[in-house]
Amino acid sequence: MIQPFKSKQFLLFLMTGGLAALVNFSSRIFYNQWLDFSFAIVVAYITGMITAFILAKIFVFTESQQPWHHSAIYFALINLFAIAQTWIISMGLAYYFFPKIHFHAYPNELAHAIGIAAPVFTSYLGHKYFSFR
């Protein structure tokens, strides 16, 4: 099971995903000026997801024979699972765990960063074997 994560492709996935995560994180801070934290997470995730799809298609899964519209559908479905992971972790940390341990130093930012990082392995496998097969 560890083998797919020891490849150049996974490294490229991490790099492009890291850039998309930065877009996600930054846009959440931007959207949070007008939206509440919960909704801003979702809208920012969609912004990051569009970035991730474009970068993955161009730089990571270059040998994919899947038509782009099929890839986009699978990509969106896999990301529904990933956004659920991101939202649950972000909300759980920001509103339940951090207050319980009296953590007050940028709790929303840290919770969101951890939430974004959480689905990296499940997303990679899903995109490798479904979105861009």
Side-chain angles (χ1 to χ4, degrees), residues 49-128:
M49 184 175 79
I50 292 167
T51 304
F53 177 79
I54 293 167
L55 293 174
K57 186 82 171 147
I58 294 171
F59 296 110
V60 181
F61 301 105
T62 57
E63 296 177 13
S64 173
Q65 299 300 310
Q66 185 104 285
W68 75 267
H69 60 282
H70 289 161
S71 292
I73 291 168
Y74 281 113
F75 197 88
L77 290 173
I78 289 162
N79 276 286
L80 282 176
F81 179 67
I83 194 171
Q85 289 176 291
T86 299
W87 188 85
I88 290 167
I89 290 167
S90 298
M91 296 300 289
L93 289 172
Y95 291 115
Y96 299 101
F97 183 71
F98 290 161
K100 188 174 189 123
I101 64 168
H102 305 289
F103 179 80
H104 304 291
Y106 303 101
N108 288 357
E109 287 71 20
L110 184 59
H112 188 216
I114 293 168
I116 289 170
V120 70
F121 297 105
T122 56
S123 293
Y124 174 70
L125 292 175
H127 298 317
K128 179 178 178 62

Side-chain angles (χ1 to χ4, degrees), residues 27-45:
S27 65
R28 198 274 309 155
I29 293 169
F30 176 75
Y31 296 140
N32 221 175
Q33 295 178 47
W34 300 280
L35 305 172
D36 71 359
F37 181 64
S38 177
F39 194 60
I41 289 171
V42 174
V43 177
Y45 194 90

Side-chain angles (χ1 to χ4, degrees), residues 8-25:
K8 178 182 176 189
Q9 187 179 54
F10 182 64
L11 181 61
L12 287 169
F13 181 80
L14 288 177
M15 290 169 46
T16 59
L19 181 57
L22 181 61
V23 168
N24 180 339
F25 185 80

